[in-house]
Amino acid sequence: MSTRNKTIMALLLAALPVALLLALSSGPVAIDLPAAIASGWRSDSSDAVILWQLRLPRAALALLVGAALGMGGAAMQGMLRNPLAEPALLGVSSGAALAAILVLYYGAAVSGLLLPLLAISGALLAVGGVWLLAGRGASASRLVLAGVAINAFLSALMALALNYAPSMFAMQEIVFWLLGSLANRGWDQVLLALPFIIAGAVMLFCARNYLRALSLGEASAASLGFAGRRYPLLVLFGIAFAVGSSVAVAGTIGFIGLVVPHLMRPLVGQDPGRLLWASALAGALLLQLADVLVLNTVGTQELRIGAVTAFIGAPFFFWLIVSGRREMSL
């Protein structure tokens, strides 16, 4: 990376604690942040309880989920060699969401571990279905086709569940969950998602050289020793673990996995291996800032963070299209 790009990456890294402080200072109730930090998490004061039990786990979850979505999007784009790819393309998000919807639909104890664990299982099953449907030695285009088919089928099942929801309350709960939110999340959700996100990150880290080789083409990657099913499976299940656990605890949050790799790719010299960690960093920062915006939005009901990220992502692609047209006209 050039000195300029290294400087930009350092600024992004320095912006994370600033965004974290903004998140801890934001909310409907004003608190004395320095006093709450100094009193410690064992304190019974209202400010300390709000900070350590409400705001800090929410902020930590925003960083974790943002990093997982950014990294998952970078890995998906690298494996498919398609800048418009994202984890939802292969049904990861839909598989996790459908499993969670079924839990909500049947009124199970969603406050426990059942919903997150089934959502993670749904993501893994969706990836397994894509892999089986594509067949052994599937090309990137066949994986995309299999992913589109699985994703469409899972989306149809979600629509069916919404259509036959037992009550308006159940339908509202399902729709709100699908929109994505970090509200009312605690340390239980953080500790549940953390090991799966770490496991997914380790898998993707082990596959970073495969993604680099794959940027030269599938034949070149095979000639460099990356033939067989091991590395594609490593990437797919790494994405499933990281993104599936994120959907499990925060619902479906779009555009992070699509926009962030686009923003970071020029800063890492188009290197798919470096892009993983740059996208994780930028994804964590972007979702944390989006949640700060949610926390500072006044209304009778909290704005869903999935809607905020969509509002951020859509103008970016408008700009991308316009700038591309300008370059073609020159």
Side-chain angles (χ1 to χ4, degrees):
M1 285 192 296
S2 66
T3 303
R4 174 179 171 272
N5 291 346
K6 288 181 179 178
T7 302
I8 293 175
M9 292 298 294
L11 289 174
L12 283 173
L13 188 60
L16 272 178
V18 177
L20 180 61
L21 284 176
L22 283 174
L24 297 179
S25 304
S26 302
V29 178
I31 64 171
D32 186 346
L33 187 60
I37 294 173
S39 61
W41 66 276
R42 292 180 179 274
S43 175
D44 293 331
S45 69
S46 59
D47 285 357
V49 170
I50 291 172
L51 172 65
W52 295 99
Q53 301 301 323
L54 298 177
R55 293 188 183 177
L56 187 58
R58 176 172 178 153
L61 198 62
L63 294 175
L64 279 174
V65 170
L69 294 175
M71 183 183 296
M76 185 67 72
Q77 291 179 13
M79 188 182 73
L80 299 180
R81 302 191 304 283
N82 185 342
L84 295 179
E86 62 170 335
L89 185 64
L90 296 189
V92 176
S93 300
S94 297
L98 177 61
I101 282 175
L102 293 177
V103 177
L104 295 170
Y105 182 86
Y106 287 107
V110 296
S111 60
L113 298 179
L114 183 60
L115 188 149
L117 290 177
L118 284 181
I120 293 168
S121 301
L124 293 173
L125 288 173
V127 167
V130 169
W131 185 258
L132 291 174
L133 183 61
R136 185 173 183 176
S139 62
S141 60
R142 204 193 312 170
L143 277 173
V144 170
L145 288 174
V148 170
I150 293 292
N151 195 35
F153 178 68
L154 294 175
S155 297
L157 291 178
M158 285 192 285
L160 193 65
L162 283 171
N163 190 69
Y164 289 103
S167 65
M168 289 300 295
F169 176 76
M171 179 183 292
Q172 185 181 47
E173 189 176 10
I174 291 170
V175 170
F176 280 176
W177 190 88
L178 284 173
L179 290 174
S181 177
L182 297 170
N184 303 318
R185 304 303 193 267
W187 289 114
D188 289 343
Q189 285 75 28
V190 173
L191 294 176
L192 178 69
L194 182 61
F196 290 99
I197 291 176
I198 290 175
V202 169
M203 292 180 193
L204 295 178
F205 176 78
C206 293
R208 68 193 186 283
N209 289 327
Y210 165 70
L211 294 174
R212 288 188 176 114
L214 200 58
S215 64
L216 304 174
E218 293 180 7
S220 298
S223 68
L224 291 171
F226 295 103
R229 309 173 68 180
R230 174 186 173 188
Y231 287 98
L233 279 175
L234 201 60
V235 174
L236 285 175
F237 281 95
I239 294 170
F241 271 88
V243 177
S245 58
S246 300
V247 175
V249 295
T252 52
I253 300 174
F255 278 99
I256 297 290
L258 186 59
V259 171
V260 166
H262 272 284
L263 294 174
M264 293 295 104
R265 192 171 284 108
L267 303 182
V268 296
Q270 309 294 327
D271 184 341
R274 289 177 177 172
L275 183 61
L276 291 175
W277 313 119
S279 297
L281 175 64
L285 179 62
L286 181 59
L287 192 60
Q288 186 71 87
L289 291 176
D291 195 44
V292 170
L293 180 61
V294 168
L295 289 169
N296 286 285
T297 301
V298 178
T300 56
Q301 190 168 1
E302 183 176 296
L303 184 64
R304 298 292 159 170
I305 198 166
V308 174
T309 56
F311 275 118
I312 294 172
F316 168 77
F317 277 97
F318 290 147
W319 169 81
L320 199 65
I321 293 169
V322 172
S323 61
R325 289 175 60 184
R326 286 176 180 172
E327 289 177 2
M328 290 179 64
S329 63
L330 294 176

